[in-house]
Amino acid sequence: MKLRFFIVLALLVISQVSFAKVDPTAAPQHYNYRDASKQLRRVYYGELQETLYCGCKYDDKKNVDFSSCDFKPRDNPNRKSTKRAERIEWEHMVTAHNMGHFLSCWKEGGRKNCSANDTTFKIMEGDMHNLYPAIGEVNGDRNNFMYSQWTNNPTPMYGNCKTIVDFKEKKAQPREEARGIVARASFYMEKTYGVKLSNQDRRLFEAWDKMYPVTDKECERDRRIFKVQGDHNPFVHEKCKQ
């Protein structure tokens, strides 16, 4: 009799736990950047294992397949930068500087201080809707530069990758396939955390949002993030339902 009681009790507990895992009304589970980086493998697998700026494929060990996108590290005497091209990094489309420079923690010690001590910044820094795999060298070159569009015929910097960076003017022009993605991520960060867009950026991103509509892959990415983090990017999700 006791054995039967414990079996029934165990089944009830399991059923409650299983229900909690799929409860659509549950609060979002946000992570800090370090923990989000570990969870992102649950989002970027299979067809989504592709870099933002160059469309390169990579494997489960984060080894980049240069031949999949005709990528080539740019001519650079800095071996450290060239080595960085061989690895995948999680790129903040809305930069950490843009997220945190208005916070008091940033003024007192920059990103490192905010990551360690400011709860608001920790949540922003780890939000998966703003994180995308990128080749480390391109991520490093983009730095904290804002997005821009200044030429329809970019001179390639990384083999046949269409993303370019203007170091003198401190701006980055993403390839066409990335433009709608970064626009909708920027709208999300403004709506969710109040990271303001300049009038110039807003006009650019509104144009990109229309010119480069949501794709099936972007919808799948949003669905996977929802399963891990518990919330959607409404600027993507609402268009996926249409």
Side-chain angles (χ1 to χ4, degrees):
M1 186 70 178
K2 290 183 178 180
L3 178 60
R4 181 180 298 176
F5 170 78
F6 284 116
I7 291 174
V8 171
L9 180 62
L11 289 173
L12 286 172
V13 170
I14 292 172
S15 65
Q16 290 175 351
V17 170
S18 298
F19 177 76
K21 288 182 178 179
V22 298
D23 182 2
T25 65
Q29 173 60 60
H30 283 269
Y31 302 86
N32 60 33
Y33 179 68
R34 181 178 180 180
D35 290 338
S37 298
K38 297 176 182 178
Q39 293 293 330
L40 281 167
R41 69 182 185 278
R42 299 168 58 190
V43 176
Y44 295 103
Y45 60 86
E47 64 177 352
L48 296 191
Q49 278 184 321
E50 182 179 278
T51 65
L52 176 66
Y53 296 128
C54 298
C56 303
K57 301 294 184 181
Y58 65 94
D59 62 23
D60 292 338
K61 294 183 179 180
K62 295 185 178 180
N63 297 312
V64 184
D65 181 3
F66 289 170
S67 66
S68 67
C69 55
D70 292 328
F71 180 88
K72 181 181 179 182
R74 66 184 176 87
D75 292 333
N76 192 329
N78 185 347
R79 175 58 186 163
K80 183 177 180 180
S81 175
T82 303
K83 188 69 175 177
R84 195 171 176 182
E86 299 172 0
R87 70 172 186 251
I88 291 295
E89 297 177 357
W90 300 115
E91 162 74 316
H92 287 97
M93 290 174 277
V94 175
T95 67
H97 178 271
N98 205 34
M99 289 188 285
H101 73 276
F102 64 92
L103 298 173
S104 59
C105 62
W106 194 276
K107 299 173 183 178
E108 296 168 1
R111 179 177 177 178
K112 184 176 181 180
N113 185 47
C114 286
S115 297
N117 300 305
D118 190 279
T119 301
T120 299
F121 184 82
K122 289 179 183 179
I123 293 174
M124 287 193 289
E125 189 182 30
D127 196 305
M128 298 181 189
H129 289 294
N130 188 43
L131 291 168
Y132 214 104
I135 290 176
E137 182 184 31
V138 185
N139 182 28
D141 286 351
R142 188 256 169 143
N143 198 359
N144 291 323
F145 301 164
M146 300 302 289
Y147 293 115
S148 185
Q149 183 179 347
W150 64 91
T151 176
N152 291 325
N153 297 293
T155 300
M157 297 176 60
Y158 312 98
N160 285 324
C161 176
K162 300 300 183 182
T163 291
I164 56 175
V165 178
D166 187 324
F167 298 104
K168 183 178 180 180
E169 297 296 330
K170 297 184 177 180
K171 57 186 181 181
Q173 178 175 298
R175 66 189 180 115
E176 292 186 9
E177 294 85 348
R179 293 175 189 174
I181 295 170
V182 301
R184 289 179 281 274
S186 298
F187 293 150
Y188 167 85
M189 294 299 287
E190 182 181 49
K191 178 180 177 64
T192 306
Y193 302 107
V195 182
K196 295 296 184 182
L197 297 173
S198 68
N199 291 334
Q200 180 179 349
D201 288 338
R202 185 179 305 282
R203 289 193 296 270
L204 177 65
F205 293 154
E206 286 175 349
W208 283 359
D209 183 37
K210 292 178 181 178
M211 292 174 64
Y212 308 102
V214 172
T215 64
D216 290 341
K217 283 187 178 180
E218 195 175 355
C219 290
E220 179 61 22
R221 174 179 178 267
D222 183 73
R223 284 190 288 268
R224 293 184 189 181
I225 291 175
F226 175 76
K227 291 179 181 179
V228 179
Q229 186 171 278
D231 56 0
H232 289 284
N233 178 344
F235 300 96
V236 175
H237 183 59
E238 291 303 316
K239 295 173 182 177
C240 294
K241 296 191 296 184
Q242 295 177 3

